[in-house]
Amino acid sequence: MSKHPHEKFMKRAIELSRLAGVEKKTGGVFGAVIVKDDEIIAEGYNRVVGDNDATCHAEIDAIRKAGKKLGNPLLEGCVLYTSAFCCPMCLCGAYWAHIKEIYYAATVEDSRKYGEFADDDYYAEMKKEIKDRKIKCTEFMRAEAVEVWKEFSKMEDRAKY
């Protein structure tokens, strides 16, 4: 039986989320990969706490690396896979980078429920329905991603910010 064509990319994003939140404890449970022509060109994970940098989110990390690798800040034709739906900063970063499409696993509600991430004030600025946004966003492999969130939620020494 063949796997979903996006599964290997989302699995890697989820692995990176575990690395950040559970193993290295450099920040929340967030991992991302950027793919072009069915090849991973950049990876990122949350290092907000590890680097003392509020902008060092997984998606921004991956976007920065992809731009350097391609020698262009515009990532035309690239797809972003992220372990949890993008915060407003990262979503806007994807727009700035001209990302073609986003696949996400855990939802905003999952990150709030399992990680106490409450970006509601920011999201209020972005009230459009997902289906009405310029970038197509597709929930994918939520159950697998939520398993990492559940593990993270039980850790007394997890990153909180």
Side-chain angles (χ1 to χ4, degrees):
M1 178 186 259
S2 66
K3 292 182 179 181
H4 192 285
H6 302 284
E7 185 174 340
K8 67 181 177 180
F9 304 128
M10 187 60 79
K11 278 188 175 181
R12 183 60 184 151
I14 293 169
E15 287 171 1
L16 291 165
S17 77
R18 179 186 305 281
L19 181 69
V22 177
E23 295 174 22
K24 290 190 174 189
K25 301 176 188 168
T26 56
V29 180
F30 302 100
V33 298
I34 294 180
V35 174
K36 185 166 187 169
D37 300 323
D38 293 323
E39 177 186 336
I40 294 175
I41 60 166
E43 299 182 339
Y45 62 90
N46 189 293
R47 294 193 321 269
V48 169
V49 174
D51 288 3
N52 295 313
D53 180 351
T55 69
C56 200
H57 293 198
E59 299 90 339
I60 297 299
D61 188 29
I63 288 168
R64 289 172 180 160
K65 291 174 181 173
K68 287 180 183 176
K69 181 170 185 170
L70 296 178
N72 191 331
L74 303 181
L75 306 178
E76 303 286 350
C78 291
V79 177
L80 172 64
Y81 294 83
T82 180
S83 64
F85 191 78
C86 302
C87 75
M89 176 184 70
C90 293
L91 185 60
C92 288
Y95 276 93
W96 279 106
H98 295 195
I99 293 290
K100 175 175 106 175
E101 190 171 4
I102 298 170
Y103 286 85
Y104 64 97
T107 64
V108 172
E109 292 77 16
D110 296 327
S111 63
R112 185 182 311 112
K113 179 177 181 179
Y114 298 109
E116 299 177 28
F117 289 86
D119 293 337
D120 295 341
D121 292 342
Y122 307 127
Y123 288 110
E125 297 298 316
M126 304 181 78
K127 289 197 171 218
K128 284 187 177 180
E129 295 278 330
I130 290 175
K131 66 178 181 58
D132 294 333
R133 291 181 183 162
K134 184 177 177 181
I135 296 176
K136 180 183 173 188
C137 299
T138 306
E139 181 179 312
F140 183 67
M141 293 182 66
R142 177 182 175 197
E144 291 86 345
V146 169
E147 288 305 312
V148 181
W149 278 106
K150 288 177 182 177
E151 184 178 348
F152 182 72
S153 74
K154 295 175 185 173
M155 295 172 49
E156 290 185 20
D157 61 344
R158 71 177 185 252
K160 295 181 183 180
Y161 50 93

